[in-house]
């Protein structure tokens, strides 16, 4: 319980650092990573640099005109929840660090994909590189798990979602994200990877059905799939490590 509380508090702090990145990257594909406040447009709101956190307080308001830029405390609370789930799983060592890395970037990707239906390369590639380095460290320290299995699952997940992207059912961003998520799950076991895949599609199908029933979508509607991947991965990691 104490570890979960500590992880939640660390997640709140990490989410504050993540907020400028989320706001900057939550733009349509092809647009530069910056924010233009709708209230004082076209004046851009800077989100990079040493003053980023001061410029984007937890309230999510524009520092120029106090107009709303994002939901208050959303990145902080999302990251805190993800960190709490990781702590509940009970992982330790470098493998735990890998899960927290995925939880941090996954929180950002979940919010961005939900807002604009894209998974920026900046975060998906950072997730993949960081996961590889941390799992290699876990292997070097002889922690329980398999680096070879992690690599195989990562390649299989990336290939599966690449085919899905070619068929038009998901995006290439999902394929890039699946590589790091597959590696984290594959390190633990084959069962964790399979469970995450099942949970991901069950969650996606459930949301699609609910949107149809409430008439907030139709059969040809497109929805962000990244959040389902991330939530399915965290759920599988929690289920298979407790």
């Amino acid at each position: 319980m104490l570890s979960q509380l500590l992880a939640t508090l660390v997640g709140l702090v990490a989410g504050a650092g993540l907020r400028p990145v989320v706001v900057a990257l939550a733009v349509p594909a092809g647009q530069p990573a910056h924010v233009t406040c709708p209230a004082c447009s076209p004046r851009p709101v800077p989100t990079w640099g040493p003053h980023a956190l001061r410029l984007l307080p937890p309230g999510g308001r524009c520092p120029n005109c106090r107009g709303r830029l994002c939901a208050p405390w959303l990145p902080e609370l999302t990251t805190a929840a993800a960190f709490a789930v990781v702590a509940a799983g009970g992982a330790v060592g470098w493998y735990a660090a890998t899960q927290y890395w995925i939880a941090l970037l996954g929180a950002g990707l979940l919010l961005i994909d939900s807002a604009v239906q894209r998974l920026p390369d900046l975060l998906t590639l950072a997730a993949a590189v960081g996961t590889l380095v941390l799992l290699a460290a876990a292997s070097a320290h002889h922690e329980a798990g398999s680096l070879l299995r992690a690599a195989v699952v990562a390649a299989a997940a990336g290939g599966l979602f690449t085919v899905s992207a070619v068929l038009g059912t998901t995006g290439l961003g999902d394929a890039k994200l699946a590589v790091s998520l597959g590696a984290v799950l594959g390190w633990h076991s084959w069962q964790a990877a399979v469970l995450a895949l099942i949970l991901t599609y069950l969650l996606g199908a459930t949301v699609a059905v609910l949107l149809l029933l409430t008439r907030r979508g139709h059969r040809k509607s497109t929805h962000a799939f990244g959040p389902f991947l991330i939530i399915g991965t965290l759920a599988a990691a929690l289920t298979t490590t407790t």
Side-chain angles (χ1 to χ4, degrees):
M1 183 64 69
L2 181 60
S3 62
Q4 286 180 259
L5 177 60
L6 179 60
T8 301
L9 294 176
V10 173
L12 286 172
V13 176
L18 185 67
R19 185 191 330 110
V21 179
V22 171
V23 175
L25 295 178
V27 294
Q31 291 191 13
H34 71 273
V35 175
T36 298
C37 176
C40 59
S41 181
R43 185 180 180 183
V45 179
T47 55
W48 303 104
H51 301 297
L53 295 181
R54 180 179 65 82
L55 291 172
L56 290 177
R61 293 188 178 277
C62 172
N64 299 326
C65 69
R66 304 300 297 165
R68 180 73 70 191
L69 289 175
C70 64
W73 292 96
L74 186 59
E76 289 87 351
L77 294 176
T78 303
T79 308
F83 274 37
V85 170
V86 172
V92 296
W94 289 100
Y95 182 53
T98 308
Q99 290 191 353
Y100 282 114
W101 177 248
I102 289 296
L104 174 64
L105 297 186
L109 287 165
L110 184 152
L111 295 175
I112 293 169
D113 202 19
S114 298
V116 295
Q117 293 192 22
R118 64 182 290 256
L119 296 168
D121 288 344
L122 178 65
L123 297 186
T124 55
L125 294 180
V129 172
T131 297
L132 174 63
V133 171
L134 292 170
L135 288 182
S139 179
H141 285 78
H142 306 290
E143 294 184 11
S146 170
L147 186 60
L148 176 60
R149 184 174 58 228
V152 171
V153 173
L160 173 64
F161 281 94
T162 297
V163 172
S164 180
V166 171
L167 296 176
T169 55
T170 57
L172 282 175
D174 299 311
K176 297 171 187 176
L177 176 60
V179 171
S180 52
L181 299 184
V184 172
L185 294 167
W187 169 271
H188 182 271
S189 66
W190 299 106
Q191 292 86 346
V194 173
L195 177 60
L197 187 63
I198 294 172
L199 291 175
T200 294
Y201 278 101
L202 279 177
L203 182 60
T206 300
V207 171
V209 170
L210 288 175
L211 290 174
L212 283 173
L213 292 176
T214 57
R215 298 185 179 181
R216 297 180 63 183
H218 51 80
R219 292 185 179 181
K220 294 185 179 181
S221 296
T222 58
H223 308 288
F225 197 71
F228 304 139
L229 273 170
I230 295 163
I231 295 172
T233 296
L234 288 174
L238 174 62
T239 302
T240 56
T241 54
T242 54

